[in-house]
């Protein structure tokens, strides 16, 4: 599909233009954060929720940068499909430096999966057995970021981590489900 | 979690592993479904010679998320600085290993000045893409050194509100410095102050007196 190729070019060119840093600093900082969260909250579910919440706050601001930095001539997203491809090819590329693939669309076209092999947040990480069985989603921040960013463009979605290489899978997979479109509320002056 | 001893000879960029439990099956998960593969031991994964790059805004967003998280939970500003320093400490410990692995002629630093030069040049370049602005020794006390930095990376997008005017978010970088020094057997305390002319930030490194005594032995 030529739209995907176009978005890929947008993603690459945006990534070429922005200021970059060593991915290892990001990796280590994120690792320290997750370690600290595990110490603060004893419960793994609470850590997952906290990571998602933090990601949500980040996503709400990240969308502004996305809109500003990526070339707006790529066109606005007319359908949910375009949104999915834009996240995978432009969003992931311009912030984390890699492309993701969009797969597993459901029949109503409201649910898709983002699949990616490499994830700089996961570098050098090994989860102890206890956290694997308790279900820690190490990169759950990304789910929150996607949810927060899409909320700012009037889409309510739910993002769940399905597969993670730190738990033995070969790829990372995030399942994104569109719940509804938010109506813009215009407050009337009283 | 099985314990592992890792012997790293810093003169050679190779790491040998001795498994304390001699249990080779604990890291292998029997594939139970088509998508799963046997877990590779983290120490067998090759380290790429050239690190990947991510956008600076990704790090800035993450750092802002971290600061917001701590601000909600802590009441005193000084605690925030301590928490950021602790976070940077664990980052520094790990960054030390990978920087030494990637160095072309890795040599263990046993004197203070080469160690600080290593930090202000090699470590700074790896983390921030440039050398630190300057490195100075204090004339007041023998264990105090200063690293000046004009633009600390993490504070690029942070504006301090008036009621927290003394806050220094550069404590994260200070923590990184402290982590690297401690991992290299130079225990020190690292504080952050705005410099005299308010333009740059200064990292005050106070070495433990054991380190200074050791320096004396070399002379």
């Amino acid at each position: 599909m030529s739209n995907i190729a176009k978005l890929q070019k947008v993603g690459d060119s945006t990534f070429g233009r922005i200021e970059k840093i060593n991915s290892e600093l990001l990796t280590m900082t994120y690792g320290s954060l997750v370690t600290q969260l595990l110490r603060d909250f004893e419960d793994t579910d609470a850590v997952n929720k906290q990571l998602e919440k933090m990601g949500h706050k980040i996503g709400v601001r990240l969308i502004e940068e996305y809109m500003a930095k990526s070339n707006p001539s790529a066109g606005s997203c007319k359908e949910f499909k375009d949104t999915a491809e834009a996240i995978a090819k432009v969003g992931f590329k311009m912030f984390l430096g890699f492309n993701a693939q969009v797969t597993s669309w459901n029949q109503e076209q409201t649910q898709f999966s983002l699949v990616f092999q490499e994830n700089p947040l996961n570098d050098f990480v090994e989860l102890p057995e206890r956290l694997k069985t308790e279900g820690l989603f190490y990169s759950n921040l990304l789910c929150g970021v996607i949810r927060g960013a899409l909320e700012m463009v009037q889409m309510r979605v739910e993002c769940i981590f399905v597969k993670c290489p730190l738990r033995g899978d070969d790829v990372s997979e995030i399942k994104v489900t569109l719940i509804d479109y938010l109506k813009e509320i215009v407050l009337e002056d009283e | 979690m099985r314990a592992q001893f890792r012997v790293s000879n810093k003169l050679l960029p190779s790491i040998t592993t001795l498994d304390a439990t001699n249990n080779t099956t604990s890291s292998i998960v029997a594939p139970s479904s088509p998508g799963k593969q046997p877990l590779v031991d983290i120490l067998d994964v090759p380290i790429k010679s050239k690190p990947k790059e991510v956008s600076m805004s990704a790090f800035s967003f993450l750092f802002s998320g971290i600061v917001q998280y701590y601000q909600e939970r802590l009441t005193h500003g000084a605690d925030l600085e301590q928490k950021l320093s602790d976070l940077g400490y664990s980052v520094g410990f790990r960054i030390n290993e990978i920087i030494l692995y990637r160095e072309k002629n890795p040599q263990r630093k046993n004197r203070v000045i080469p160690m600080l030069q290593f930090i202000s040049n090699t470590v700074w370049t790896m983390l921030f893409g440039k050398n630190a602005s300057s490195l100075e020794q204090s004339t007041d006390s023998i264990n105090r050194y200063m690293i000046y930095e004009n633009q600390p990376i993490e504070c690029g997008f942070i504006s301090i509100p008036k009621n927290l005017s003394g806050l220094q978010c550069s404590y994260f970088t200070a923590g990184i410095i402290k982590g690297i020094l401690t991992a290299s057997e130079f225990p020190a305390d690292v504080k952050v102050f705005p410099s005299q002319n308010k333009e740059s930030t200064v990292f005050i490194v106070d070495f433990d007196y054991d380190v200074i005594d050791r320096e004396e032995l070399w002379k």
Side-chain angles (χ1 to χ4, degrees):
Chain A
M1 231 167 82
S2 66
N3 194 26
I4 297 183
K6 213 167 54 157
L7 284 171
Q8 215 153 3
K9 270 205 196 119
V10 171
D12 291 338
S13 72
T14 315
F15 189 60
R17 272 179 287 136
I18 56 176
E19 224 176 308
K20 292 189 262 292
I21 54 151
N22 196 334
S23 75
E24 276 148 17
L25 178 59
L26 183 75
T27 308
M28 305 292 183
T29 310
Y30 188 69
S32 304
L33 171 68
V34 176
T35 316
Q36 186 60 43
L37 285 176
L38 285 165
R39 277 195 217 113
D40 290 343
F41 304 95
E42 300 292 318
D43 180 32
T44 318
D45 271 332
V47 174
N48 280 339
K49 283 201 183 69
Q50 183 64 39
L51 281 171
E52 217 265 350
K53 207 166 100 175
M54 285 176 75
H56 184 262
K57 285 191 191 153
I58 291 177
V60 161
R61 305 223 238 95
L62 188 129
I63 187 74
E64 297 258 351
E65 168 138 5
Y66 171 87
M67 294 293 192
K69 293 263 170 76
S70 69
N71 195 346
S73 74
S76 59
C77 298
K78 296 190 180 57
E79 297 178 340
F80 196 51
K81 254 192 200 169
D82 302 328
T83 313
E85 292 296 341
I87 297 174
K89 299 289 180 289
V90 184
F92 270 86
K93 180 74 185 180
M94 80 188 253
F95 289 106
L96 294 173
F98 64 88
N99 277 330
Q101 278 80 46
V102 177
T103 60
S104 321
W105 280 100
N106 70 343
Q107 266 204 325
E108 298 95 28
Q109 304 284 301
T110 54
Q111 190 185 74
F112 65 93
S113 285
L114 282 164
V115 173
F116 43 99
Q117 310 272 62
E118 43 169 299
N119 182 0
L121 299 178
N122 279 352
D123 285 344
F124 313 127
V125 179
E126 185 183 38
L127 287 185
E129 286 302 323
R130 179 181 72 90
L131 291 177
K132 274 189 222 145
T133 47
E134 284 178 14
L136 176 72
F137 290 117
Y138 187 79
S139 303
N140 216 23
L141 195 92
L142 296 175
C143 291
V145 171
I146 297 175
R147 183 170 73 91
L150 288 179
E151 200 170 289
M152 286 290 114
V153 284
Q154 322 299 85
M155 280 178 253
R156 190 174 11 229
V157 297
E158 192 186 69
C159 292
I160 313 173
F161 238 101
V162 174
K163 285 192 198 166
C164 182
L166 299 174
R167 296 171 29 143
D169 305 304
D170 45 354
V171 291
S172 300
E173 188 180 324
I174 300 179
K175 201 187 273 306
V176 182
T177 314
L178 175 68
I179 301 179
D180 55 19
Y181 287 97
L182 299 165
K183 290 197 179 57
E184 230 178 276
I185 304 172
V186 177
L187 293 169
E188 287 181 9
D189 292 331
E190 291 191 12
Chain B
M1 190 167 84
R2 66 196 164 105
Q4 275 193 328
F5 292 117
R6 225 177 63 194
V7 175
S8 77
N9 186 347
K10 286 183 178 159
L11 292 177
L12 298 167
S14 68
I15 298 177
T16 34
T17 325
L18 297 170
D19 185 350
T21 62
N22 279 331
N23 189 353
T24 52
T25 58
S26 62
S27 71
I28 307 291
V29 170
S32 54
S33 59
K36 287 191 187 292
Q37 58 195 19
L39 281 173
V40 179
D41 192 345
I42 189 81
L43 291 167
D44 293 332
V45 173
I47 298 179
K48 296 189 175 61
S49 51
K50 197 172 166 226
K52 292 181 269 192
E53 285 183 317
V54 293
S55 77
M56 168 126 98
S57 48
F59 174 73
S60 304
F61 278 119
L62 178 65
F63 189 69
S64 92
I66 291 173
V67 172
Q68 281 177 52
Y69 167 71
Y70 280 131
Q71 266 188 316
E72 278 170 17
R73 293 170 68 88
L74 301 169
T75 44
H76 296 136
D79 289 345
L80 175 64
E81 292 172 348
Q82 183 58 43
K83 286 286 183 187
L84 286 177
S85 182
D86 291 341
L87 215 62
Y89 184 81
S90 46
V91 173
F93 244 89
R94 290 161 178 81
I95 290 231
N96 188 38
E97 296 278 343
I98 194 129
I99 291 184
L100 286 168
Y101 177 78
R102 290 229 170 85
E103 243 193 316
K104 291 203 175 57
N105 290 316
Q107 276 185 336
R108 213 181 85 185
K109 318 278 183 294
N110 21 26
R111 306 290 305 270
V112 162
I113 304 271
M115 185 70 219
L116 287 171
Q117 282 173 335
F118 169 70
I119 290 185
S120 59
N121 296 337
T122 317
V123 176
W124 233 252
T125 315
M126 181 258 188
L127 292 177
F128 312 131
K130 60 184 177 75
N131 289 355
S133 307
S134 71
L135 168 65
E136 288 171 21
Q137 180 170 8
S138 162
T139 44
D140 302 330
S141 40
I142 49 165
N143 67 332
R144 177 166 285 201
Y145 290 80
M146 284 90 75
I147 300 179
Y148 288 85
E149 173 55 48
N150 289 334
Q151 288 169 316
I153 191 175
E154 65 260 24
C155 299
F157 299 104
I158 293 184
S159 52
I160 312 280
K162 285 201 175 62
N163 59 336
L164 293 169
S165 57
L167 191 63
Q168 298 287 346
C169 290
S170 303
Y171 265 91
F172 181 70
T173 313
I176 296 182
I177 300 173
K178 186 173 170 181
I180 295 179
L181 285 173
T182 312
S184 310
E185 300 293 336
F186 287 90
D189 194 30
V190 184
K191 292 195 186 46
V192 181
F193 288 102
S195 76
Q196 306 292 57
N197 53 357
K198 302 271 184 207
E199 291 263 318
S200 53
T201 320
V202 60
F203 298 98
I204 310 258
V205 182
D206 288 324
F207 286 100
D208 281 5
Y209 284 103
D210 300 341
V211 176
I212 306 299
D213 293 339
R214 208 171 62 198
E215 273 294 292
E216 293 299 315
L217 290 175
W218 279 100
K219 287 185 184 155

